[in-house]
Amino acid sequence: MLPHEVAPSSRLPADSRIVSDTPKAYDGFGGDVGRIFSTSEPSWPAVPTAPEGAPNVIVMLADDLGFADLACYGSEIDTPNLDAIAASGVRYTNFHVNPMCSPTRASMLTGLNHHMAGMGHVAHSDPGFPGYAHELRDDAVTMAEVFRDNGWASLMVGKWHLCKDAHLSDAGPRHSWPLQKGFERYYGILDGFTNFHQPHRLYEDNHHLPIDQYPDDYYFTDDLTDQALHMIDEVRASHPTKPFFLYFSHGAVHAPLQAKAHDIEKYRGMYDAGWDEIRRRRFERQLELGVVPPHTRLPPRNDEAGHAVGPWDELTDDEKLVFARYMEIFAGMVDNIDQNVGRLRAHLEALGEWDNTIIVFTSDNGGSREGQELGTSAYFRTLVSQTRADSLDSVDLDLPKLDTMGGPTTLPHYPMGWAMVSSTPFRLYKINTHQGGHQVPLIVHWPDGITTPGEVRRQYQHVTDLLPTLAELCGVTVPTSKRGQAVPAPAGSSMVSTLHDADAPTTHPEQYYEQIGHRGFYRNGWSAVTCRQPRRSFATETWELHNLDDDPTETVDLAAEHPDKLVELQEAWEQAAWANQVFPLDEGNYVKMMQQPPWNAALAEPAVFRPGMPTVERWRSLQLISSRSFRVDIDVDIAVDDDGVLVAHGDQGGGYSLAIDDGRLVHSHNGYGEMTLVDCGPVEPGRHTITLDVTDVGDVTWEPRVLVDAVEVGAAGPVPRLMAMAPFEGIDIGIDRRSPVNWDLYERKGPARFTGTIHCVTYTPGELAPDNGGQYLQMLKELGTKYE
């Protein structure tokens, strides 16, 4: 008999206790255990509880918003709500992030440099190296975990963009999704961007939402605000004082540029003066506001190879008309962000919680030059054009769409002349390690905690400083271990001292930068930086040297005058790169994007889909067709009056579909907004195999054929290959959900659910394209050896 057991014959009274020989099952229990409740003493484990009077925390991150895009930083765009927050808070004018979105988000949430966090690039590849894992490392402590574990409700809405493309589907794994990284509630997109009128795939918590069609007045930024307010109300209805941490991660103002009609109309004609004049006006306003030092010089237009902006006055009338329209849409998107900030403020004021809420507002990088020289009405077309010697974009294609720009049928992006304006007064853009790529607005607002409202701060600080800063303001500690193991050393330091004192020294004296091969290093006012030209030797690359205290806009290269300082910063960059998993560097020949782990090959095997299934996730769908020939076989029973979509893959940004439309089989190919329709004639009633057979001939070209029972009934080629991230909507069977491939069919019949019987749809991937096979990858690797 064990010491704590009692023989049945002993007949102990009910209140007898086991004191000296308590079973091991009770080890660690802080109370006193008897045989019955009334003679036992309870004990409860400590519940994470925020400090008395702890503030709510809202971190709001805009996407692709440049230093100069808010009125309180020099813009002509109407942002009264953010201006009011700046006027009663503190504006930082020397705040830096990483030059791309996923890297900044990773650093902000973990306090680590982005390569060390696993996010050396945007999360759209998995080349097999730790700095480019494209998911948050498991041993990093996130901002959400810090607040959750200290008694805050941990909430998120918006763009995540911190997990591998291959892990976006409902098959997971979900270990780098928001709820697995410390958030208790989530609503938004896991991808890097979406259609603002008809989002491609919305997620709530740990699952995607099955949405067939959006209301005509739907707008993504408004929806995110609605969801944020609802989450806040859920917390407050459930607990009277528990503070919340809300990460509000905007999709705006990332492409596609889409806004509500009245917000666009508000800015009609404002940008007819062109980017040179608007940039000059912003700079003058910045000097007046004091958000740039009085000795700042406005550099000439960007003229670096691959990044150059031409004079506005030399554009054609059609170019001016189209380009100004792009910027009107962009302004409407910024305006809408501000309107929603106003809604959020009004709600918190009504709850009586505004004064004790810390608001942090910033952006993930500088203005985006992804619209290239001409801009575009079809964002994916521009991404594809970057892989070709000749651009698919043309003002002639975009001009007829002027009146629909900003709505659900176009996916515009502005030319990089406007990105230059966005980053006024700095050089270059998103992806670059010059100041225009990573110097962004930062507004910190907390009526109960900020004693110097309306002041400007000029200290150099970095996005890795936000986590320790918020922890200090809230009286909590960022853990140094996780699950019993030490976590990576933090890259940032609290900047609370600078928040309260304009003369306090920076807490972040040095920082490395690297993005797509662009490199930079900052130390105590000096900056060494390169502007990478792809597929050239890193060893022969030119480094510039700038004294940013004297020359904040990098107009004077001091490399020849201070060679020792340049060498010092180059060596410091090299040391930081090895210490932060920066290597290997991206030489610019697409090897990084083409390499995939071997287990992803299973997703390119033939697949059978059936009606009633949810939309197949975007990345999973792409593996069946990407840069290769493929065949789609539809086993279907068709009656005389049957109608609707048989299969659809894509949206208004690019896609293809087969449908029975008013008795006729129609193949639609949406080539980045340019429609090719093939009338394949009527199909006799009965059971048939309808086939879409697509040959990828290389050079971004497809040649599709349509067959019924192995007999060709139509051909569409040659048409543009859909690639990069298009088709952006996944595969639908018997319906075309959300943003449609064929807008005319959508206007007449909505998602057009098929009324007949589809037995199954089989996708059979074929040979890789001639310019995308294994031999091509090997050629790129061999070619790349000369770039070191």
Side-chain angles (χ1 to χ4, degrees):
M1 182 178 297
L2 294 175
H4 62 274
E5 291 182 331
V6 179
S9 61
S10 62
R11 301 286 189 237
L12 287 175
D15 65 347
S16 294
R17 303 184 182 199
I18 310 281
V19 179
S20 60
D21 297 312
T22 302
K24 287 187 177 181
Y26 292 94
D27 281 358
F29 177 65
D32 192 5
V33 181
R35 294 179 63 84
I36 60 175
F37 272 88
S38 58
T39 60
S40 302
E41 293 295 328
S43 177
W44 292 271
V47 175
T49 304
E52 183 72 24
N56 303 312
V57 179
I58 299 176
V59 176
M60 186 172 287
L61 189 67
D63 197 328
D64 289 359
L65 183 88
F67 181 82
D69 283 328
L70 303 179
C72 55
Y73 281 82
S75 177
E76 67 294 329
I77 300 173
D78 193 18
T79 56
N81 294 294
L82 286 164
D83 297 349
I85 292 174
S88 54
V90 171
R91 272 173 296 171
Y92 281 78
T93 62
N94 199 3
F95 182 73
H96 299 259
V97 292
N98 303 315
M100 289 192 86
C101 42
S102 297
T104 289
R105 292 157 200 276
S107 288
M108 189 199 76
L109 286 176
T110 66
L112 302 176
N113 285 320
H114 59 297
H115 298 88
M116 183 58 76
M119 204 64 59
H121 189 251
V122 287
H124 296 300
S125 63
D126 185 2
F129 298 96
Y132 305 87
H134 296 143
E135 60 187 20
L136 294 180
R137 59 186 297 157
D138 192 48
D139 61 354
V141 175
T142 70
M143 190 180 291
E145 289 169 330
V146 170
F147 281 109
R148 179 200 64 191
D149 295 347
N150 281 281
W152 275 255
S154 185
L155 319 171
M156 180 183 171
V157 297
K159 166 179 167 175
W160 181 238
H161 210 199
L162 291 173
C163 60
K164 303 177 196 289
D165 271 0
H167 295 173
L168 294 176
S169 76
D170 292 306
R174 293 172 167 85
H175 60 271
S176 198
W177 286 27
L179 264 61
Q180 283 66 38
K181 292 301 178 182
F183 290 100
E184 296 165 313
R185 290 296 318 280
Y186 172 69
Y187 179 91
I189 57 170
L190 296 181
D191 252 312
F193 55 88
T194 196
N195 185 313
F196 285 82
H197 298 290
Q198 297 171 320
H200 69 294
R201 193 174 182 88
L202 288 174
Y203 294 80
E204 184 175 55
D205 299 331
N206 253 3
H207 63 278
H208 89 273
L209 296 175
I211 298 170
D212 288 352
Q213 189 173 11
Y214 289 96
D216 290 341
D217 61 350
Y218 178 92
Y219 190 68
F220 185 50
T221 308
D222 294 344
D223 185 18
L224 293 182
T225 304
D226 290 342
Q227 296 296 329
L229 299 181
H230 178 65
M231 289 181 188
I232 291 169
D233 284 347
E234 285 181 328
V235 172
R236 196 49 68 239
S238 302
H239 195 285
T241 59
K242 184 174 185 175
F244 63 83
F245 161 61
L246 169 65
Y247 174 32
F248 196 132
S249 178
H250 277 285
V253 281
H254 195 291
L257 302 186
Q258 295 174 314
K260 296 191 287 189
H262 64 271
D263 289 331
I264 301 171
E265 186 62 29
K266 178 177 178 179
Y267 293 94
R268 184 176 292 275
M270 183 172 288
Y271 297 100
D272 293 351
W275 50 59
D276 292 321
E277 177 61 16
I278 299 298
R279 182 173 181 242
R280 184 193 65 79
R281 293 176 190 173
R282 287 194 179 189
F283 179 59
E284 289 184 353
R285 180 64 176 150
Q286 289 172 334
L287 291 171
E288 293 173 7
L289 291 170
V291 294
V292 297
H295 60 271
T296 303
R297 292 180 289 266
L298 182 66
R301 282 184 300 273
N302 296 326
D303 61 359
E304 293 78 4
H307 305 283
V309 174
W312 179 267
D313 289 344
E314 293 182 7
L315 299 176
T316 67
D317 288 344
D318 285 348
E319 288 173 332
K320 291 178 180 177
L321 186 64
V322 174
F323 294 175
R325 183 62 166 175
Y326 291 138
M327 191 58 187
E328 292 167 4
I329 303 167
F330 179 87
M333 295 178 79
V334 175
D335 193 311
N336 178 264
I337 288 177
D338 186 80
Q339 294 170 38
N340 280 289
V341 169
R343 290 178 59 205
L344 185 60
R345 176 173 186 164
H347 196 79
L348 290 173
E349 286 178 333
L351 293 175
E353 302 199 31
W354 175 252
D355 287 347
N356 198 29
T357 298
I358 299 172
I359 304 284
V360 174
F361 181 93
T362 189
S363 178
D364 60 358
N365 47 247
S368 171
R369 47 72 45 83
E370 291 164 5
Q372 307 300 320
E373 182 181 0
L374 299 175
T376 184
S377 63
Y379 180 50
F380 297 117
R381 187 171 68 210
T382 294
L383 297 180
V384 171
S385 292
Q386 296 178 43
T387 68
R388 294 169 52 101
D390 59 317
S391 174
L392 293 175
D393 279 302
S394 158
V395 172
D396 292 337
L397 285 175
D398 297 338
L399 185 61
K401 302 175 182 178
L402 201 65
D403 291 338
T404 60
M405 293 280 195
T409 61
T410 60
L411 279 70
H413 201 319
Y414 60 26
M416 53 189 171
W418 292 121
M420 177 184 67
V421 172
S422 177
S423 293
T424 304
F426 305 112
R427 288 173 56 195
L428 297 173
Y429 330 88
K430 172 183 178 178
I431 79 168
N432 296 116
T433 49
H434 284 72
Q435 304 301 297
H438 51 80
Q439 192 159 342
V440 297
L442 172 66
I443 301 170
V444 181
H445 181 270
W446 184 19
D448 282 355
I450 291 178
T451 58
T452 55
E455 292 192 355
V456 169
R457 295 291 181 265
R458 304 196 186 281
Q459 293 93 335
Y460 178 96
Q461 300 293 160
H462 188 258
V463 65
T464 52
D465 301 330
L466 288 181
L467 174 53
T469 299
L470 290 170
E472 182 178 345
L473 288 175
C474 294
V476 299
T477 302
V478 179
T480 57
S481 64
K482 187 174 184 179
R483 292 189 290 272
Q485 300 295 319
V487 302
S493 301
S494 172
M495 57 188 203
V496 168
S497 59
T498 70
L499 191 63
H500 297 307
D501 184 358
D503 297 322
T506 176
T507 63
H508 203 108
E510 62 181 52
Q511 177 64 39
Y512 85 87
Y513 295 94
E514 190 281 332
Q515 206 67 67
I516 320 180
H518 301 287
R519 293 175 285 171
F521 195 87
Y522 171 88
R523 176 179 284 168
N524 294 323
W526 288 88
S527 172
V529 66
T530 71
C531 183
R532 171 75 180 153
Q533 295 301 313
R535 297 176 294 281
R536 295 186 184 179
S537 170
F538 282 98
T540 61
E541 203 163 53
T542 299
W543 284 78
E544 302 170 21
L545 179 69
H546 301 281
N547 184 331
L548 298 181
D549 291 338
D550 298 335
D551 178 26
T553 53
E554 303 169 303
T555 61
V556 180
D557 184 1
L558 299 174
E561 297 179 36
H562 299 278
D564 292 344
K565 175 60 72 172
L566 179 61
V567 170
E568 173 197 328
L569 298 186
Q570 287 173 313
E571 291 177 348
W573 184 92
E574 188 81 8
Q575 293 169 2
W578 284 114
N580 285 277
Q581 306 181 156
V582 175
F583 294 110
L585 292 176
D586 182 356
E587 64 271 45
N589 63 358
Y590 306 111
V591 169
K592 176 186 67 183
M593 303 303 293
M594 295 178 69
Q595 292 183 156
Q596 290 191 31
W599 44 84
N600 284 351
L603 299 181
E605 296 294 324
V608 178
F609 303 115
R610 303 184 186 280
M613 294 178 66
T615 304
V616 183
E617 189 275 324
R618 169 188 69 79
W619 194 86
R620 162 73 169 115
S621 299
L622 279 170
Q623 304 318 296
L624 301 171
I625 72 165
S626 183
S627 296
R628 67 195 320 148
S629 300
F630 64 95
R631 191 177 75 248
V632 184
D633 292 306
I634 307 167
D635 182 359
V636 59
D637 266 312
I638 300 176
V640 173
D641 295 326
D642 281 336
D643 197 81
V645 170
L646 301 171
V647 65
H649 183 188
D651 58 13
Q652 284 293 282
Y656 59 89
S657 67
L658 284 167
I660 304 296
D661 186 10
D662 295 336
R664 305 184 72 83
L665 176 62
V666 176
H667 169 48
S668 303
H669 181 87
N670 186 328
Y672 310 109
E674 301 305 309
M675 289 297 298
T676 300
L677 299 176
V678 180
D679 186 340
C680 302
V683 180
E684 292 295 320
R687 187 164 182 171
H688 300 280
T689 298
I690 297 176
T691 300
L692 174 64
D693 187 43
V694 177
T695 301
D696 192 319
V697 298
D699 194 29
V700 197
T701 302
W702 280 353
E703 292 182 352
R705 298 184 308 137
V706 179
L707 304 92
V708 175
D709 300 326
V711 176
E712 183 173 322
V713 294
V719 295
R721 172 203 290 167
L722 298 172
M723 59 178 292
M725 296 178 71
F728 199 57
E729 291 261 11
I731 295 167
D732 277 325
I733 306 301
I735 191 172
D736 190 355
R737 297 181 174 99
R738 298 170 301 276
S739 177
V741 173
N742 185 327
W743 189 260
D744 173 69
L745 180 62
Y746 174 80
E747 285 194 309
R748 290 185 285 114
K749 299 179 180 180
R753 188 179 293 274
F754 183 60
T755 59
T757 301
I758 298 174
H759 298 284
C760 67
V761 175
T762 302
Y763 269 74
T764 306
E767 295 294 321
L768 288 168
D771 52 4
N772 205 59
Q775 291 181 335
Y776 183 62
L777 177 58
Q778 184 59 35
M779 180 197 73
L780 291 178
K781 287 188 172 185
E782 292 172 357
L783 186 65
T785 59
K786 70 178 185 179
Y787 300 145
E788 292 185 3

